[in-house]
Amino acid sequence: MVENGYSSSFMQEASARGFIFQCTDPQALDEAMAKGPVAAYIGFDPTADSLHVGSLIQIMMLRLLQKHGHRPVALVGGGTARIGDPSFREEARRLMTEDIIQSNLAGIEGCLRQFLRFGENTSDVRLVNNADWLDKLAYIDLLRDVGVHFSINRMLAFDSVKNRLDRDQGLTFLEFNYSILQSYDFRELNRRHGVTLQLGGSDQWGNIVSGVDLVRRTDQTQVMGLTTPLLTTSSGAKMGKTANGAVWLSEARLPVFDYWQFWRNVEDADTGRFLRLFTELPLDECERLAAFEGADINEAKKILATEATALCHGREAAEAAAEAARKTFEEGQIVADDLPVYTVSEADLAEGIPVFRLLAESGLVKTNGEARRLIRGGGARVNMVAVKDENQLITRQDTVDGAIRLSSGKKHHIQVRVA
């Protein structure tokens, strides 16, 4: 059966959920996927020890490949991390030491395992590291074998390169090589693992097309590329970024409660789109929830938050976060076991800590000045009680069931405990 112009189940669902932005040959890819399992890869560079929500659309694509019986490959860039992807960056990435790269690789693998099934079966994700082949490259051999197929004129036309040059920010020769190495990755994965499809965000289109062209030129093999939209929120903000920083997938970086809260607080206009992209609810259910209006849209956002959190941290943790939020916001209870924790010393609490300072040090606001303004505006609360004096001291007497709940507005809370 043909739906959305596609006959393969993967392309039908990917299109319906909004994952497809560009494809080098949609018809050929659809036909290949209808015939049998296609091996496809997505690359993740270890720029930090955790992935964040900005990478989530790629992870969901790997899950979708698994669902429809294809062969997903997650490539971690232990080799390319030594250069850094310049795509749409205003300045060069800081070069990392080998120890940092290895630590980051371990963290990224952990994030991927939260979402994906690894193993040796056809639809299990296979994890590979491009350091296995890039570290062994001889420079002259690379130039003769691969470099001869790359046009400087064409590379200068890539949007990611033009943006840097147009802003007079420059591009180092080190970064300029990234596209060549990513193309080399595609060819190597095709030779080693039969990979015929590279997926990535729309910012990777130029690099992906270069890889497709390299494999065609050197191996006379047809491979393909597909990109997903580069997401922004309805207000134009970059997906996965908040005032407090990145929305990390690792619980060590971001508590489950805060992850749930991120999804609960998305803009109303984004709810339907995010339900399709970041949950596995049936599409008709996504459409039903997206149609909610007024106060009812909050119920849809709670479902989005719980479903998205369940994929990342498990159903039990997601439901615990949802219950903690319900008790916190709807019943006004302190849920000490579920809110993020900030610890203080017994000595400091005995002496008393000015509430404005504690607001800043706990991370609820960024500066003491911002804390004072929050208090003056009536947005700061201790144990659900509005703070009126910015110099109020927080002491042991403020603890309830061993914790003090500190709040910034209605949505941001933290528990203060003694270390």
Side-chain angles (χ1 to χ4, degrees), residues 227-248:
T227 65
T228 58
L230 200 63
L231 285 187
T232 58
T233 66
S234 294
S235 63
K238 190 172 183 180
M239 180 64 183
K241 296 287 186 180
T242 69
N244 295 322
V247 181
W248 301 103

Side-chain angles (χ1 to χ4, degrees), residues 323-351:
E323 179 63 9
R326 185 186 68 80
K327 290 179 178 179
T328 299
F329 303 130
E330 296 176 16
E331 298 180 6
Q333 296 181 18
I334 295 176
V335 190
D337 290 336
D338 296 304
L339 291 177
V341 176
Y342 176 73
T343 57
V344 297
S345 70
E346 179 72 56
D348 284 346
L349 203 58
E351 183 179 340

